[in-house]
Amino acid sequence: MKILVCEDDFMMIKAIEHKLQREGYEVEVANDGRVASDKIRNSDFDLIITDLLMPFTGGLELINMTRNELNKTTPIIVLSKVGNEETIIEAFKLGADDYLTKPFSPNELSIRVKRFLLKR
Amino acid sequence: MIRHLHDYIPVNSLKELHTYQKILDNTAIIVLADSDKHVLYVNQKFCDVSGFSRAQVIGQPIDNLRHEDNTAEKLKDKWQTLESGEIWKGELLNKKNNNDTYWEEAVIYPFKENGAKPYQYLSIGSDISPFKNAMLIKDQFLANMSHELRTPLHSIYSLTHLLEETTLTNEQNNYVENILSATDILIRMIEDMLDLNKIENGQIKFQNKIFNPNLVVNSLSKIFKEKAKEKNLEFKLECDPSMPEFVLGDPFRLKQILIHLLENAVKYTQKGNIELLCKLAGKASDSFFLEFYVKDTGIGIASENLSIIQEKFIQEVMNDKRVFMGQGLGLSIVKQLIELQNGEFTINSKEAEGTQVRFVIPYKFPGGNTVESQTIVDKTDSKTINGLKVLIAEDVDINQLVIKKHMQKFGFIAEFAENGKIALEKLKNGSFDIVLMDMQMPVMDGYEAIKIIRTEFPENIKNIPIISITASVMGEAPHKCFEAGANDYVPKPYNISDLRQKMEKWVNEKSSVNNNIQDIMQENSKKEYESLIDLEYLNQLSEGDDDFSISMLSYFLDNTPSVISEMKQFYEEKDWKNLRNVAHKFKPQLTFMGIKSIFNEVETIEQNAASVANLTDIPSLIDKSEKVCLQAMTEIKHELEKLLDKNQE
């Protein structure tokens, strides 16, 4: 199971990566939106977790690209801070499947991820 | 002057004279002065080089042509020599018409009759500025090179020492030993090169310290006894009871001379013995003449090489590969060091029989002064201080790692600052026993930081012992460290036990003066009862994986100072977009560390910057964040240390 984590904050990456690796998933990291879009274009993931604010290409653009340009159905979980409802709704409209608030709860992350991957 | 001769000399000879004048004018700078040292005549070459016309200089005092940078002493010495009727040779820095300068290598002849004052002075010289400039460039190059070489060498040396202490197979151990001895040689060669350069430029300075020569000799003999024993050589030390207990001079140079000689002796002797003898050879009205012998029964030096070392200038010794590869470089340095201290150096050697070096150095009486300080003290019995808190200002990661390991081994607690500015902040907020300060750092260098500590800090911190660590040992660097207010300095790559000795020495000295470090520490621990951090969330994430926690804590410690300084910078530059971004990105980090007390402040900074509103509130918000973060970082450091200790066991 390969998961792409699109996030530019070192600690956040570390934390997500750590949790997912402990659950036994393979994790790939993209530090900015440009790297993320290249990776999504060129390989297939079982799940994408993406931040909304990132250098070069934001999370919304990334979702739009995945769904409407590449026509990929890879599940996407959006990471967002609390109180950002409008953007989250926008993300859902573009094709995101779920969202997590920052700071995230490790158990919640684990359960939400598992839910998508079991579905597949 | 030639014009005056016109009437007396036949035309042919006159032509010849004109030819000579032309030749001379094309090669030499000629100045003639009268008995009052006023210029009588200058030739065309002088005018070409200096840019002065004859009319401008004739009748002027000749010393007016010299630049102010010639020491008054040098000029006085010049006139003394000339007035006594002797020829003076030397280099002079002269003025040009356009306020520029040029170097002249000159020979000055005094014309004199019957023991009276000279009636004229003739100076014949040449412009050596291009050569001097090349020398300057060479010095600068060497100084830079030494820095560049020392830093990586320092890393190799220190890391290899660390490697040596890990569990190694015999084969690996062998390799490590070879790396270490090769590095030792390399370090020594660099030091020698630097010393030679200093000697050649007359930059070398000798200290005037009261010291005990017996201690110098004894401490060295301990080391070399061991080294001799490894080669199955006998080592004899004979220190005559006539040796004075205290003298005034340079203990460091004496030690350096003896080390050079003893190392050569051990290196070039396969069997037999090595002797070090010292005694009082004589007394003058104000000084002791100390005499030292270093004898070995080694391979000796061939007579032709011996004469090279004895007679040639250093430059030529360096050009002579045979000598350079052997022991010549060291011996040339020794000879120069002794002679620069008005001493005397003789060497006797026979191939296959051995070498005998004798030198005498005059040392001044220590006078009525009490013994102030001694640089070379046998510190083996000094008490070890556990839990010493050390602030280390050092910007290179690899050096940080190395120093940290060593400090742990000593039982000291190390905290790091990447530049002088951060060091000042940490010093203000923490309680430290001693500071190690790298002098070359970005943002604020060590010199500036020490000056600020010494002049602007509160009384209880102001006098903290500071040892500077510097890679540039050329010329003025050590001097500059002391001038800035450092108590001591260690060159890179440093010797670990030397560093430790110096640290303990200064802490001991400080605590004997000021015994309240303990009190301050207790007071500080009272202040810290309220914890600013809450690692529950981090622990929940880590699920017992300490490596994860360590990397998160370290990241926060590494990253936070730059976050704070970026916020300040963006505020000053009114770069609201970036200020907002930095604040935004800082929030999750605060969450991971559980630093709740400034969460709102950082959030407000972000919001105000985003909406470009209430901007004047921002500085105090940043200020508060900074204070809390610094305190929190101290706590985080403790947590990190706990984790690191736990994982080392």
Side-chain angles (χ1 to χ4, degrees):
Chain A
M1 293 290 182
K2 203 158 87 177
I3 302 175
L4 177 66
V5 177
C6 315
E7 166 67 60
D8 64 332
D9 181 71
F10 175 88
M11 286 176 119
M12 197 55 88
I13 293 169
K14 268 270 157 199
I16 298 171
E17 193 182 31
H18 179 252
K19 180 69 196 168
L20 295 179
Q21 280 170 348
R22 283 186 88 83
E23 304 277 316
Y25 304 116
E26 191 185 332
V27 180
E28 235 179 85
V29 176
N31 285 308
D32 64 52
R34 199 183 284 163
V35 176
S37 57
D38 283 350
K39 284 189 190 276
I40 296 170
R41 249 175 237 281
N42 300 321
S43 38
D44 286 318
F45 296 94
D46 297 297
L47 176 72
I48 298 168
I49 298 175
T50 181
D51 187 14
L52 288 175
L53 274 173
M54 278 183 299
F56 307 119
T57 310
L60 292 180
E61 283 170 71
L62 220 54
I63 301 166
N64 190 31
M65 183 197 81
T66 312
R67 293 280 182 268
N68 305 325
E69 191 188 315
L70 303 174
N71 294 318
K72 291 196 176 183
T73 56
T74 323
I76 300 176
I77 300 179
V78 170
L79 264 174
S80 167
K81 62 170 186 168
V82 192
N84 205 6
E85 279 71 25
E86 274 174 45
T87 325
I88 290 166
I89 291 166
E90 188 64 26
F92 276 119
K93 279 185 190 163
L94 288 169
D97 300 284
D98 202 353
Y99 81 97
L100 269 166
T101 53
K102 286 187 198 174
F104 67 91
S105 135
N107 290 333
E108 191 184 336
L109 172 75
S110 154
I111 288 163
R112 288 187 193 261
V113 167
K114 206 171 282 168
R115 198 161 59 96
F116 281 109
L117 295 177
L118 284 177
K119 264 189 206 165
R120 293 208 118 195
Chain B
M1 64 169 170
I2 290 165
R3 260 173 286 155
H4 302 295
L5 302 172
H6 211 268
D7 302 336
Y8 313 100
I9 299 168
V11 177
N12 276 350
S13 307
L14 209 55
K15 269 189 179 164
E16 214 170 290
L17 266 179
H18 274 297
T19 314
Y20 288 142
Q21 189 190 5
K22 254 189 189 161
I23 295 170
L24 211 52
D25 272 347
N26 278 316
T27 49
I29 300 168
I30 296 175
V31 179
L32 187 70
D34 66 12
S35 59
D36 290 333
K37 302 159 191 170
H38 286 74
V39 178
L40 280 177
Y41 167 83
V42 293
N43 72 343
Q44 190 55 41
K45 182 81 177 177
F46 171 87
C47 298
D48 294 345
V49 172
S50 69
F52 287 115
S53 68
R54 286 209 176 88
Q56 276 176 296
V57 292
I58 288 176
Q60 295 284 327
I62 194 164
D63 280 347
N64 282 6
L65 304 176
R66 315 298 179 204
H67 190 263
E68 292 78 14
D69 282 359
N70 290 299
T71 55
E73 216 171 299
K74 187 169 168 186
L75 293 180
K76 201 178 139 199
D77 176 66
K78 186 186 79 175
W79 288 118
Q80 267 175 4
T81 310
L82 290 170
E83 277 163 10
S84 70
E86 290 193 30
I87 295 170
W88 184 88
K89 289 182 196 173
E91 292 174 0
L92 291 163
L93 183 63
N94 294 333
K95 285 183 202 162
K96 281 190 183 178
N97 195 17
N98 60 2
N99 291 328
D100 217 348
T101 57
Y102 68 98
W103 278 98
E104 183 190 6
E105 189 173 39
V107 184
I108 307 180
Y109 304 89
F111 292 117
K112 205 174 161 177
E113 263 172 3
N114 304 333
K117 243 177 100 180
Y119 61 90
Q120 276 183 351
Y121 301 93
L122 176 66
S123 155
I124 301 177
S126 54
D127 178 10
I128 53 163
S129 302
F131 169 72
K132 276 279 178 183
N133 289 339
M135 289 290 281
L136 273 178
I137 291 167
K138 191 197 83 177
D139 284 354
Q140 194 54 47
F141 174 73
L142 261 172
N144 291 344
M145 273 285 281
S146 83
H147 182 81
E148 299 296 324
L149 285 175
R150 274 167 166 260
T151 308
L153 206 52
H154 178 241
S155 306
I156 296 174
Y157 186 76
S158 315
L159 288 172
T160 314
H161 266 297
L162 289 177
L163 184 60
E164 196 188 19
E165 307 216 344
T166 58
T167 322
L168 297 172
T169 65
N170 281 344
E171 195 187 3
Q172 286 167 337
N173 212 12
N174 190 14
Y175 294 148
V176 168
E177 270 170 24
N178 283 328
I179 296 173
L180 279 177
S181 71
T183 317
D184 270 342
I185 292 170
L186 207 53
I187 291 171
R188 175 54 50 81
M189 278 174 76
I190 290 173
E191 309 270 331
D192 280 358
M193 261 167 50
L194 296 176
D195 271 346
L196 266 180
N197 196 49
K198 277 197 232 163
I199 291 171
E200 279 196 325
N201 294 306
Q203 279 180 353
I204 208 154
K205 293 209 171 68
F206 293 94
Q207 292 180 308
N208 245 337
K209 275 193 169 167
I210 297 172
F211 72 98
N212 183 345
N214 302 291
L215 269 183
V216 174
V217 171
N218 280 323
S219 68
L220 286 178
S221 81
K222 264 185 215 160
I223 300 168
F224 283 95
K225 203 171 246 168
E226 284 301 309
K227 293 197 173 180
K229 211 167 138 191
E230 282 170 21
K231 289 185 75 174
N232 283 323
L233 302 170
E234 199 185 333
F235 186 94
K236 276 190 238 164
L237 168 70
E238 236 181 270
C239 220
D240 197 89
S242 64
M243 284 284 281
E245 201 175 347
F246 292 107
V247 297
L248 192 64
D250 193 329
F252 169 71
R253 296 295 172 192
L254 176 59
K255 199 174 173 185
Q256 193 185 9
I257 292 166
L258 287 170
I259 287 176
H260 265 296
L261 295 175
L262 290 168
E263 271 186 350
N264 273 346
V266 173
K267 190 168 159 194
Y268 293 102
T269 306
Q270 300 310 328
K271 63 178 183 186
N273 56 51
I274 287 157
E275 283 175 77
L276 170 59
L277 312 175
C278 56
K279 66 175 184 189
L280 179 65
K283 270 189 209 177
S285 62
D286 63 345
S287 43
F288 296 114
F289 289 87
L290 302 190
E291 188 175 28
F292 299 84
Y293 283 92
V294 177
K295 299 180 187 175
D296 67 52
T297 55
I299 56 169
I301 304 171
S303 56
E304 66 265 27
N305 286 343
L306 204 55
S307 64
I308 292 172
I309 294 158
Q310 283 274 63
E311 287 156 22
K312 284 194 180 178
F313 291 111
I314 286 171
Q315 195 70 50
E316 289 168 59
V317 173
M318 280 184 85
N319 288 341
D320 196 311
K321 272 193 201 122
R322 290 165 302 163
V323 183
F324 185 77
M325 296 310 287
Q327 41 182 309
L329 196 57
L331 279 180
S332 307
I333 291 172
V334 164
K335 183 169 180 272
Q336 298 286 326
L337 285 177
I338 292 165
E339 287 172 358
L340 284 169
Q341 296 179 88
N342 303 315
E344 196 185 293
F345 168 90
T346 47
I347 178 165
N348 286 308
S349 185
K350 271 194 183 153
E351 256 180 299
E353 283 182 24
T355 305
Q356 205 191 91
V357 174
R358 169 189 170 268
F359 67 95
V360 179
I361 297 178
Y363 286 107
K364 292 254 183 310
F365 294 155
N369 304 354
T370 46
V371 182
E372 291 166 52
S373 66
Q374 274 173 252
T375 34
I376 298 159
V377 185
D378 202 346
K379 271 282 177 184
T380 42
D381 56 356
S382 85
K383 81 173 175 220
T384 310
I385 305 157
N386 259 317
L388 202 64
K389 283 192 76 183
V390 191
L391 178 64
I392 300 163
E394 162 71 80
D395 65 313
V396 184
D397 281 351
I398 194 161
N399 294 346
Q400 286 193 8
L401 173 75
V402 170
I403 298 185
K404 190 181 178 121
K405 291 273 181 189
H406 285 299
M407 294 298 132
Q408 277 174 357
K409 218 176 289 161
F410 298 162
F412 298 169
I413 299 160
E415 190 164 317
F416 286 92
E418 298 75 49
N419 63 50
K421 217 171 172 181
I422 296 171
L424 293 184
E425 279 162 8
K426 292 199 170 176
L427 197 56
K428 242 180 232 167
N429 291 291
S431 63
F432 295 96
D433 300 321
I434 190 164
V435 180
L436 299 186
M437 184 83 76
D438 188 358
M439 301 314 268
Q440 285 84 28
M441 285 183 296
V443 189
M444 181 193 280
D445 69 16
Y447 300 104
E448 203 185 334
I450 296 178
K451 269 183 203 153
I452 293 175
I453 295 168
R454 293 298 189 226
T455 53
E456 293 170 20
F457 269 54
E459 285 304 319
N460 56 344
I461 308 177
K462 208 174 197 165
N463 296 320
I464 190 165
I466 301 176
I467 296 179
S468 49
I469 299 178
T470 171
S472 38
V473 291
M474 293 293 287
E476 296 289 297
H479 174 69
K480 266 172 74 191
C481 296
F482 289 120
E483 206 178 63
N487 297 83
D488 216 328
Y489 91 99
V490 202
K492 261 188 210 171
Y494 51 79
N495 174 302
I496 301 304
S497 60
D498 188 32
L499 177 65
R500 182 178 186 170
Q501 269 182 17
K502 285 187 172 169
M503 290 176 73
E504 290 183 347
K505 173 185 163 192
W506 287 105
V507 171
N508 276 331
E509 221 147 273
K510 159 104 182 166
S511 58
S512 60
V513 181
N514 175 353
N515 226 338
N516 55 11
I517 289 173
Q518 285 290 331
D519 301 345
I520 295 168
M521 281 175 79
Q522 272 171 6
E523 209 173 289
N524 268 5
S525 63
K526 268 184 225 156
K527 271 187 216 154
E528 283 171 16
Y529 66 90
E530 204 174 348
S531 187
L532 286 166
I533 60 170
D534 177 0
L535 298 183
E536 203 196 304
Y537 178 48
L538 191 68
N539 291 336
Q540 191 191 337
L541 279 166
S542 83
E543 300 176 27
D545 180 347
D546 287 343
D547 283 345
F548 169 76
S549 301
I550 289 169
S551 78
M552 296 290 269
L553 295 172
S554 323
Y555 181 81
F556 186 84
L557 293 177
D558 285 348
N559 187 49
T560 305
S562 65
V563 169
I564 302 279
S565 66
E566 273 173 18
M567 287 204 288
K568 286 180 186 168
Q569 188 197 335
F570 292 139
Y571 176 77
E572 266 164 37
E573 291 169 0
K574 300 191 172 28
D575 185 344
W576 311 125
K577 189 170 165 245
N578 272 319
L579 179 59
R580 169 185 173 253
N581 287 345
V582 174
H584 174 76
K585 291 188 65 172
F586 195 39
K587 285 189 303 181
Q589 305 184 1
L590 294 173
T591 312
F592 284 118
M593 298 297 121
I595 306 174
K596 293 170 190 123
S597 55
I598 50 165
F599 204 86
N600 287 335
E601 278 77 3
V602 176
E603 173 100 34
T604 312
I605 295 171
E606 184 193 346
Q607 282 168 2
N608 291 6
S611 55
V612 196
N614 299 326
L615 296 172
T616 48
D617 295 348
I618 294 177
S620 67
L621 294 169
I622 295 178
D623 196 46
K624 185 176 175 197
S625 309
E626 180 177 19
K627 286 200 175 106
V628 170
C629 282
L630 284 171
Q631 192 63 40
M633 283 165 74
T634 326
E635 291 175 32
I636 289 170
K637 241 158 259 163
H638 286 306
E639 294 298 326
L640 189 59
E641 273 155 21
K642 271 194 248 165
L643 285 172
L644 287 169
D645 287 349
K646 189 171 128 196
N647 279 33
Q648 260 186 354
E649 278 157 18

